[in-house]
Amino acid sequence: MALRITDLPQEILINIFKRLDIDDVLALEQTCQLFDEAIQDSWAWHQMYHYRYGNFTKKADQYEREWTWRQKYEEKASLKLSVANDFEIAHLNGIHWRKCESSESEYGSIAMMQQVCWLDANSTIRSVSPGTYRVLWRIRVWDTVLRNQQVDFTAIPQVDDTGMIPRGSSIFTSPRGWFSETEVQGRGWAVMALPSKLVIDKEWGLTDVRVSVERKDDQWKGGMDFDWVQLQRIDNDLPVTSRLRTYKRVRELRNNSRFRNEFRVEDPGYPSLSRYIIISTVLTYFLFWLKQQIAH
């Protein structure tokens, strides 16, 4: 008798789900009642989180409420970090850098670069899938910005232990005078996309990406605030902010007029036919392999 995927126990379905990207999981959720019920299970999201990101570490802004495993997974899959909460910042002492609460940030706090020579603020976005990404920074440039300061914005895949910068890295060094000449100076918050794209090669698989704003020299830098950094996939027909429409904080921002112009969260509608075909092919090969294992 032919074995159908709907006959598989939930444990095997979850074993399939945890090997898929978030967009594929959300696509499967819309295909039938069986997948919808399986994906709604909190244990499924717990297993997917542990497989992809390891043990869960609660951040400071998450102590105020309990998150479901789905919310924890979707926050990680958004490929977005708060500079104030998630970054390691050198000289965060209230003089050179300062962290302060802000109602203008979805994370509730921002990092203010006041005046520093040794600029080093970095973090890691974990388990990024192969693809091409746009690197976005939400920043605010004050009128007090130093005219000739230069800053390096980087997004570097962590695939080389030798210290060499791998291909596909996104690195942008602001030219001298760039901040004082840009239209964002003194105009409030703006989302800046780095000119070069980040490319994660297929042969690397899931890859950690180090993101940073840095410049280690003897020139003073200051007059900038940082909110968040995000990797936005651009070789996919479902942008990440649309795929994660169930993420609570994004839904809140959608109804907040203060953020409406910056956060355009569209309804992704139905997944493309090509994605259904790919998923069906993967499941077919898996069932074929499973039947062979059972037969032996």
Side-chain angles (χ1 to χ4, degrees):
M1 184 175 61
L3 181 64
R4 299 176 299 176
I5 190 170
T6 52
D7 299 326
L8 294 175
Q10 187 167 355
E11 291 79 5
I12 294 181
L13 290 178
I14 293 176
N15 199 33
I16 298 173
F17 297 158
K18 69 185 184 182
R19 289 168 167 77
L20 301 176
D21 283 339
I22 182 67
D23 53 344
D24 295 326
V25 174
L26 296 181
L28 279 173
E29 188 179 25
Q30 302 178 53
T31 57
C32 66
Q33 183 176 356
L34 173 68
F35 288 160
D36 179 69
E37 292 177 352
I39 293 173
Q40 292 294 333
D41 189 347
S42 178
W43 178 247
W45 291 99
H46 176 272
Q47 291 297 303
M48 289 190 290
Y49 186 100
H50 189 270
Y51 176 82
R52 187 154 185 160
Y53 302 112
N55 295 327
F56 173 69
T57 302
K58 184 177 285 189
K59 297 185 299 187
D61 64 333
Q62 296 169 347
Y63 278 98
E64 298 178 358
R65 60 186 177 189
E66 288 298 324
W67 284 24
T68 66
W69 280 107
R70 178 167 186 156
Q71 288 174 318
K72 297 171 185 176
Y73 185 95
E74 289 182 343
E75 189 223 12
K76 284 284 191 182
S78 69
L79 306 180
K80 188 174 184 180
L81 296 177
S82 162
V83 177
N85 299 328
D86 299 318
F87 272 54
E88 294 183 6
I89 303 176
H91 306 298
L92 182 61
N93 53 16
I95 301 175
H96 301 94
W97 277 90
R98 185 160 62 94
K99 176 181 174 181
C100 64
E101 297 181 355
S102 173
S103 60
E104 296 179 320
S105 170
E106 59 179 297
Y107 294 97
S109 59
I110 61 173
M112 303 177 66
M113 184 177 74
Q114 300 182 119
Q115 217 174 34
V116 63
C117 281
W118 187 274
L119 172 59
D120 185 5
N122 68 84
S123 188
T124 300
I125 299 179
R126 298 180 55 192
S127 298
V128 180
S129 299
T132 303
Y133 297 84
R134 182 182 293 110
V135 185
L136 305 177
W137 288 83
R138 186 172 189 255
I139 63 175
R140 178 168 57 187
V141 181
W142 293 100
D143 292 327
T144 56
V145 66
L146 299 179
R147 180 175 179 79
N148 291 320
Q149 73 181 27
Q150 289 185 289
V151 174
D152 298 328
F153 295 91
T154 71
I156 301 176
Q158 302 298 284
V159 295
D160 193 339
D161 295 333
T162 64
M164 300 291 291
I165 297 178
R167 66 183 187 278
S169 299
S170 175
I171 300 176
F172 171 66
T173 299
S174 60
R176 292 190 181 278
W178 185 79
F179 288 109
S180 59
E181 296 174 359
T182 58
E183 296 181 355
V184 300
Q185 181 186 3
R187 296 179 179 270
W189 289 102
V191 176
M192 178 185 71
L194 299 191
S196 58
K197 306 298 187 294
L198 170 71
V199 180
I200 305 297
D201 198 294
K202 289 184 178 180
E203 67 182 37
W204 299 341
L206 297 176
T207 303
D208 292 348
V209 175
R210 182 183 185 273
V211 289
S212 71
V213 53
E214 56 187 301
R215 188 75 173 183
K216 304 178 181 72
D217 56 26
D218 58 355
Q219 301 297 315
W220 287 100
K221 294 162 280 287
M224 297 177 62
D225 297 341
F226 295 85
D227 187 4
W228 50 253
V229 60
Q230 182 178 31
L231 304 182
Q232 185 183 69
R233 191 161 180 173
I234 58 177
D235 62 345
N236 199 314
D237 56 356
L238 293 180
V240 66
T241 50
S242 296
R243 295 199 305 270
L244 302 184
R245 66 195 186 282
T246 55
Y247 184 34
K248 184 176 181 182
R249 288 193 301 199
V250 173
R251 291 206 310 270
E252 292 172 348
L253 287 173
R254 188 177 187 178
N255 299 321
N256 190 328
S257 59
R258 185 168 64 246
F259 293 96
R260 191 167 295 155
N261 293 330
E262 293 185 62
F263 296 83
R264 295 185 176 90
V265 183
E266 302 172 356
D267 186 355
Y270 294 97
S272 64
L273 178 61
S274 61
R275 179 160 292 115
Y276 280 128
I277 295 174
I278 293 173
I279 295 174
S280 300
T281 302
V282 172
L283 294 177
T284 300
Y285 277 109
F286 179 81
L287 288 175
F288 178 75
W289 172 84
L290 186 63
K291 289 174 64 177
Q292 287 185 323
Q293 297 299 315
I294 295 175
H296 292 305

